[in-house]
Amino acid sequence: MPLETNRQHVLAQIRTAEATAHRVSGSVQLIAVSKTFPANDIRTLYQHGQHDFGENYIQEWHDKTQTLADCPEIQWHIIGHVQSNKSRPVAEHAHWLHTLDRTKLAQRLSEQRPDNLPDLQVLIEINIANEAAKHGIAPEELLPLARTIGALPKLNLRGLMCVAQADADETKLRRQFSQMQDLLAELQTVAPQADTLSMGMSSDMAIAIECGATIVRVGSAIFGKRDYAK
Ligand SMILES: *Cc1c(COP(=O)(O)O)cnc(C)c1O
């Protein structure tokens, strides 16, 4: 299926979910998750007006930024775990980081963000189902980390991100996404500018939108099945 047809289908699903949830049309932003897919696929969608792309793997993404240097309006969202020794390309080339989960990484990004660039927009990743294999902080750690980030220059704390439990039924998903909405309200007590909830993927975006997602991260529903499990 042509990529743009897939993207239009996803956009229609987003608009339907917004209407079902009595939310303003256009209040949910689509990030096209292009990990494992070639730069040319990104270019195709860019030419149709998609500007926000999500990538997980720093080397792969960095290579794509070079290839796509002639697409100046791309907004790169890093949505995978970032090791501290990989912080520099993120600080120098990303627009958003969805997976901030510790002080050390925040400090490095703040120091490495070039002065001539706008602040890096950051989200704190929450391990919402307390899964051992997942990254992200526990809800109790939110306010201390938020205060630390708030004191650092060149970072703008915009909200929260989660990956819901993969095998959860609808009831559980709803509980996890609703808890994220409560945590955003808690975050706003120390970071009033925080306005973003990044949650919902190809399989669960409608429920996430019902529960207040402002960004959905959609990969396979646009690009197709990934070759390898990543
Ligand atoms: C891969 C990935 C996505 C997209 O997942 P799909 O199921 O392909 O839509 C979203 N968020 C994160 C963090 C991812 O790693």
Side-chain angles (χ1 to χ4, degrees):
M1 269 258 263
L3 294 175
E4 176 59 8
T5 309
N6 293 346
R7 185 181 78 106
Q8 288 300 335
H9 187 66
V10 168
L11 285 172
Q13 289 178 302
I14 292 172
R15 299 290 95 89
T16 300
E18 285 170 344
T20 305
H22 307 289
R23 296 186 51 191
V24 174
S25 180
S27 55
V28 178
Q29 186 186 19
L30 169 63
I31 294 183
V33 177
S34 43
K35 64 178 169 207
T36 80
F37 291 97
N40 253 344
D41 286 357
I42 296 174
R43 187 184 301 280
T44 299
L45 291 179
Y46 181 82
Q47 286 162 350
H48 283 99
Q50 176 70 34
H51 290 165
D52 290 274
F53 292 91
E55 289 277 343
N56 291 58
Y57 309 106
I58 303 303
Q59 188 59 53
E60 177 194 330
W61 159 66
H62 194 244
D63 293 346
K64 289 176 184 170
T65 66
Q66 313 281 304
T67 313
L68 296 164
D70 58 330
C71 302
E73 288 178 90
I74 288 188
Q75 298 280 306
W76 292 114
H77 297 251
I78 301 304
I79 63 171
H81 181 68
V82 178
Q83 291 173 289
S84 294
N85 64 4
K86 300 264 181 66
S87 62
R88 186 170 291 281
V90 176
E92 293 183 351
H93 300 284
H95 302 85
W96 285 72
L97 173 67
H98 291 224
T99 52
L100 191 48
D101 61 356
R102 59 203 191 278
T103 298
K104 184 182 173 194
L105 179 60
Q107 286 167 337
R108 288 179 68 98
L109 291 165
S110 173
E111 282 162 17
Q112 293 168 341
R113 184 72 169 171
D115 283 334
N116 64 319
L117 292 185
D119 290 355
L120 181 65
Q121 309 297 305
V122 297
L123 304 175
I124 294 175
E125 181 175 6
I126 306 285
N127 187 350
I128 198 63
N130 193 23
E131 293 174 89
K134 281 222 177 95
H135 293 286
I137 63 167
E140 312 82 76
E141 301 169 73
L142 174 58
L143 292 190
L145 181 58
R147 287 195 185 93
T148 302
I149 296 169
L152 293 171
K154 301 301 289 179
L155 302 182
N156 185 9
L157 178 54
R158 292 292 300 276
L160 304 175
M161 175 270 204
C162 79
V163 177
Q165 208 179 331
D167 56 359
D169 60 24
E170 205 174 310
T171 309
K172 267 192 182 164
L173 285 175
R174 220 174 279 281
R175 197 180 309 137
Q176 291 170 19
F177 290 141
S178 300
Q179 201 193 338
M180 289 291 292
Q181 200 169 30
D182 295 343
L183 288 170
L184 179 65
E186 193 180 322
L187 173 62
Q188 285 164 341
T189 64
V190 301
Q193 77 284 2
D195 56 2
T196 302
L197 268 184
S198 167
M199 57 189 196
M201 310 179 14
S202 296
S203 60
D204 56 16
M205 66 177 175
I207 301 171
I209 289 169
E210 266 184 60
C211 300
T214 65
I215 287 179
V216 291
R217 309 175 308 265
V218 178
S220 47
I222 296 174
F223 294 97
K225 247 182 101 166
R226 287 179 289 276
D227 267 352
Y228 44 110
K230 278 205 155 178

